[in-house]
Amino acid sequence: MAKAGRPNDPRGQDRFLEERATYTVASAQPDLEAGVTAIRETVKVLKPKPGVYRMLDARGDVLYVGKARSLKARVANYTQIKALSGRLTRMVSQTRAMEIVTTNSEAEALLLEAQLIKRYRPPFNVLLRDDKSFPFILLRADHDFPRIMKHRGARKAKGEYYGPFASAGSVNTTINALQKLFLLRSCTDSFFSRRDRPCLLYQIKRCSAPCVGRIDEAGYKELVAEAKDFLSGKSGAVQAKIEKQMAKAADDLDFETAAILRDRLRAATFIQGSQAINASGVGDADIFALAAKGGQVGVQAFFIRGGQNWGHRAFFPSHTQDLEKDEVLSDVLLQFYEEVPPPRTILVDRELPEQDLVAQALSTAADHKVEISVPQRGTRRKLMSQAQRNAVEALDRRLAESGTRAKTLQELAEFLELESPPQRVEIYDNSHIQGDKALGAMVVAGPEGFEKGQYRKFNIKTAQTNDDFGMMREVMRRRFRNLAENPDGGEGRKNSHESVWPDLVLIDGGKGQMSSVRDTLEEMGIEDVPLIAIAKGPHHGREGREVFHFPDGREKMLPVNSPVLFQLQRWRDEVHRYAIGAHRQKRSRAITASPLDEIPGIGPARKRALLLHFGTAGKVRAAALDDLRRAPGISHAVAQQIYDFYHASG
């Protein structure tokens, strides 16, 4: 086996070599003896090296990802059945194969383990909910007049990143205040370059209008430097500087400048006043506290940057049964920092297993030293106490909400005549304008809320224009085609919605949509998927008068204050929102599309060169071959390709 390089090496699959020690067998039934045999076969080829192992079931799905200082010793432990917990015994009974990756060190194995858990989301690992990435504030550095903006996702743009923030709302509020404080631009570069007079943001004193020269480059750089100091924790020095400037302007009787500086000072005070947590002197730190109750675990995180509170977030990891709480917190940290760059200080409310190793792994990922500690006194201890209190309160709210949600789902099952509360609900809707750019949408909901990673869009291909029923039939055929051909193929598979049977299908529509879906599924031999359609009642203007259509033609209604009705409406509204948003994106792409997009081998750069040279796509089409060859950036071969595309007949 080849050793792995650093787990975050951009070379992708070339950074390590994976080898299967055993191969998948046909039986999918739990079999403890078969599982132990597969593991023993793997142990025979292992060496006492650090690395990561994956337990696979009979279908090849990942059951568990683990790391080890010595792969041979760690994996061999799974063959000692009497020493395993019930959870691990169940895992071994489903194991039919293993995949092994060796690494250069145990710290690298720890990082790779977190990456693979996030990628495969195995059912026997502690899992954080796979939610949207955390927002940051980005102060770009690729322009003479840097832009301040909200940022999510990979940090590829050149500039300074400040975060994470707990929510988009907290980022937007902070950016608005920072604009008032430092008058930095937030517009795009293209908007900036086209301006010949200041925009509204200048008029309301939230921008210094560098686009039209109301501030020179040196003055703007000074504002940028102040913003960096403020975001880095030097807010006191920045405020003192502004106060001195305001006093001087007042002494010089420059009351207009003094008023502007006064407004900036108020913005600084607002930002500091919005900090509900006093974290002065802490610097950059994340604080994690864990609470456990009723079989569930909650983790509260506070994000402190430059001594300022940038928000807090509660996490509720799953698959935590039979695990020690310190082990759960360790897993949470590793998965959390797979997405977010770790600060230099991480405060936790308990000692972690292999705490030094976790700190070493995070230091490797961050390229700076990371310290993990349990605060004992002073400001840090007070912050930890506050985090612990918030963790308990958040978990109590979660348990109360879960109880209410479970009760609502039970009542929903009774209303819809289901055997049990649905664990997976698929909601469908279509969106189009007179049949144009028609699109079907599916959203998925579970006991914990919407599963946004499993939403799906269907570009309507065969249905006739403006035929809602035909569109719904096409969507159903495409969604259930694979399941109809292989009815057992979906059991146990969680990585793809294509292979999972829904417990309920909810359709946004009335009798016609219900009939279309019912008949389509019956033609495919599918008769055991519960169906329900939700439509506006006879009084369309009155909220809550929805009518629910059953496959057998019956209709039911719910009281306007029913929690079940609210839940069904929420599901319907979400698919409606998703369908309209997807359709709007599709229309926008169509509006900006160019006839040149249809020419094979013509990318954005060549398309831009052609349009700049000829002016319009029509003139490109009408151009002679010699004219095409003279266009900048267009080779003779490409010119011939463009000419042949438009003159295929010769």
Side-chain angles (χ1 to χ4, degrees):
M1 298 180 185
K3 292 184 177 180
R6 285 185 52 174
N8 57 355
D9 192 318
R11 290 174 295 175
Q13 63 181 6
D14 294 334
R15 67 176 181 249
F16 55 74
L17 172 65
E18 296 183 297
E19 295 183 2
R20 280 204 175 188
T22 61
Y23 296 93
T24 301
V25 298
S27 174
Q29 297 299 320
D31 187 330
L32 191 57
E33 184 177 348
V36 172
T37 299
I39 295 172
R40 283 177 176 159
E41 290 298 316
T42 302
V43 172
K44 291 179 182 179
V45 300
L46 293 180
K47 297 179 180 179
K49 293 182 177 181
V52 175
Y53 57 92
R54 276 176 268 177
M55 304 286 198
L56 308 178
D57 66 10
R59 302 181 190 280
D61 290 335
V62 179
L63 294 170
Y64 180 77
V65 176
K67 65 89 187 168
R69 180 184 296 112
S70 170
L71 284 166
K72 191 175 188 69
R74 182 71 185 92
V75 174
N77 287 339
Y78 291 105
T79 63
Q80 309 300 317
I81 298 301
K82 293 183 179 179
L84 299 181
S85 65
R87 167 177 160 274
L88 293 181
T89 301
R90 291 194 301 274
M91 181 185 74
V92 171
S93 71
Q94 297 178 42
T95 299
R96 296 295 181 272
M98 293 188 68
E99 288 183 351
I100 305 296
V101 183
T102 60
T103 61
N104 294 317
S105 67
E106 192 178 2
E108 287 185 1
L110 202 58
L111 291 175
L112 182 57
E113 177 193 34
Q115 288 182 359
L116 295 177
I117 289 173
K118 186 174 181 64
R119 182 191 305 173
Y120 294 111
R121 305 193 64 74
F124 286 94
N125 282 101
V126 173
L127 298 179
L128 282 181
R129 183 179 175 87
D130 194 13
D131 211 340
K132 284 185 176 180
S133 59
F134 283 80
F136 285 72
I137 287 177
L138 169 59
L139 192 55
R140 298 195 64 147
D142 54 358
H143 196 280
D144 292 338
F145 297 95
R147 171 191 180 194
I148 190 170
M149 58 185 290
K150 179 175 67 176
H151 177 83
R152 284 188 190 270
R155 288 171 284 279
K156 296 180 180 179
K158 185 179 179 181
E160 301 287 336
Y161 293 85
Y162 301 92
F165 285 80
S167 66
S170 61
V171 171
N172 293 335
T173 300
T174 303
I175 287 180
N176 289 340
L178 288 172
Q179 286 178 297
K180 295 176 183 177
L181 176 54
F182 300 111
L183 307 178
L184 301 181
R185 74 177 184 96
S186 59
C187 58
T188 63
D189 292 348
S190 60
F191 184 86
F192 179 93
S193 63
R194 294 197 305 266
R195 299 302 299 177
D196 55 11
R197 61 178 180 176
C199 67
L200 181 62
L201 288 178
Y202 174 78
Q203 307 297 337
I204 62 176
K205 297 181 175 61
R206 279 178 48 184
C207 181
S208 53
C211 54
V212 292
R214 297 297 171 93
I215 186 173
D216 59 19
E217 188 173 340
Y220 194 85
K221 283 184 177 179
E222 186 176 348
L223 293 177
V224 171
E226 290 178 357
K228 290 180 178 179
D229 287 343
F230 189 91
L231 289 168
S232 299
K234 302 175 183 178
S235 56
V238 173
Q239 284 181 281
K241 181 178 179 180
I242 296 175
E243 286 176 356
K244 182 182 285 189
Q245 291 173 341
M246 184 177 67
K248 183 179 184 304
D251 291 340
D252 294 342
L253 303 182
D254 186 358
F255 298 117
E256 183 177 353
T257 300
I260 293 173
L261 293 168
R262 177 204 62 200
D263 292 341
R264 291 180 60 193
L265 200 58
R266 286 177 178 173
T269 305
F270 168 80
I271 294 176
Q272 292 185 325
S274 65
Q275 312 295 325
I277 299 173
N278 179 18
S280 58
V282 176
D284 293 350
D286 287 343
I287 303 166
F288 293 87
L290 182 145
K293 186 177 182 181
Q296 292 197 36
V297 170
V299 177
Q300 182 72 45
F302 288 168
F303 308 124
I304 311 297
R305 295 295 182 272
Q308 301 177 26
N309 170 33
W310 283 1
H312 54 88
R313 175 79 69 90
F315 304 97
F316 302 96
S318 57
H319 307 164
T320 58
Q321 296 80 2
D322 303 328
L323 291 177
E324 296 296 330
K325 301 305 175 282
D326 54 0
E327 184 180 348
V328 172
L329 185 56
S330 180
D331 289 344
V332 166
L333 289 183
L334 288 166
Q335 291 183 47
F336 177 76
Y337 289 118
E338 175 63 21
E339 176 184 318
V340 175
R344 295 185 181 275
T345 302
I346 298 173
L347 305 178
V348 292
D349 65 342
R350 65 197 69 212
E351 292 288 340
L352 304 180
E354 301 179 316
Q355 184 165 302
D356 292 341
L357 177 63
V358 174
Q360 180 186 347
L362 295 179
S363 299
T364 301
D367 288 329
H368 61 69
K369 183 175 176 56
V370 175
E371 179 186 358
I372 302 176
S373 62
V374 181
Q376 302 297 328
R377 61 184 67 86
T379 301
R380 296 186 175 192
R381 180 64 240 175
K382 291 179 181 178
L383 287 170
M384 182 56 70
S385 297
Q386 191 167 357
Q388 289 173 319
R389 185 168 61 254
N390 277 266
V392 172
E393 293 173 355
L395 184 56
D396 286 341
R397 289 193 298 271
R398 173 79 167 192
L399 291 171
E401 291 170 0
S402 296
T404 302
R405 193 182 302 116
K407 181 181 178 183
T408 300
L409 289 177
Q410 181 61 49
E411 293 176 355
L412 182 144
E414 294 173 0
F415 172 72
L416 299 180
E417 302 170 12
L418 305 177
E419 294 181 359
S420 60
Q423 300 300 300
R424 178 186 173 92
V425 181
E426 294 180 0
I427 310 99
Y428 293 87
D429 190 18
N430 295 325
S431 183
H432 61 91
I433 298 177
Q434 296 297 314
D436 185 47
K437 306 294 185 297
L439 179 143
M442 175 188 84
V443 307
V444 180
E448 299 300 320
F450 292 109
E451 303 287 347
K452 296 191 176 182
Q454 299 192 37
Y455 287 15
R456 184 180 172 189
K457 295 175 286 190
F458 301 83
N459 287 314
I460 303 299
K461 301 175 181 178
T462 61
Q464 297 297 316
T465 301
N466 215 15
D467 180 5
D468 278 325
F469 305 151
M471 293 176 189
M472 192 61 72
R473 284 193 292 269
E474 178 180 337
V475 169
M476 289 297 112
R477 280 194 294 268
R478 290 167 60 185
R479 165 63 182 97
F480 289 95
R481 179 175 52 212
N482 290 337
L483 285 175
E485 295 172 355
N486 183 18
D488 298 327
E491 293 181 6
R493 295 182 67 91
K494 300 299 181 185
N495 294 336
S496 171
H497 59 70
E498 293 281 359
S499 305
V500 183
W501 287 99
D503 299 309
L504 174 66
V505 169
L506 177 63
I507 306 146
D508 184 16
K511 290 182 179 179
Q513 281 82 359
M514 167 57 74
S515 299
S516 299
V517 172
R518 180 196 61 208
D519 296 345
T520 301
L521 294 184
E522 286 180 355
E523 291 170 5
M524 300 173 71
I526 300 173
E527 300 179 354
D528 55 351
V529 174
L531 306 175
I532 195 72
I534 177 173
K536 296 289 186 182
H539 305 288
H540 285 216
R542 293 176 59 187
E543 187 66 27
R545 304 313 300 171
E546 278 78 2
V547 175
F548 297 92
H549 299 272
F550 285 70
D552 58 7
R554 288 179 299 137
E555 298 178 2
K556 283 187 179 182
M557 297 181 71
L558 283 162
V560 292
N561 60 350
S562 167
V564 174
L565 177 61
F566 297 153
Q567 182 64 73
L568 290 164
Q569 287 173 332
R570 183 165 175 254
W571 287 341
R572 187 269 316 277
D573 293 344
E574 173 66 4
V575 74
H576 195 56
R577 177 202 67 79
Y578 181 65
I580 289 177
H583 185 243
R584 185 178 294 121
Q585 290 178 350
K586 189 175 182 180
R587 294 201 316 271
S588 298
R589 287 194 297 269
I591 290 171
T592 58
S594 166
L596 301 181
D597 295 334
E598 301 174 3
I599 306 175
I602 300 299
R606 284 172 173 162
K607 183 174 71 172
R608 191 180 307 112
L610 287 167
L611 291 175
L612 286 173
H613 184 73
F614 290 100
T616 66
K619 290 182 178 180
V620 175
R621 177 178 186 138
L625 180 58
D626 289 341
D627 293 332
L628 291 171
R629 288 172 176 170
R630 284 194 288 269
I634 304 299
S635 66
H636 284 203
V638 173
Q640 186 69 55
Q641 186 176 353
I642 297 170
Y643 186 83
D644 291 344
F645 180 82
Y646 286 122
H647 303 82
S649 60

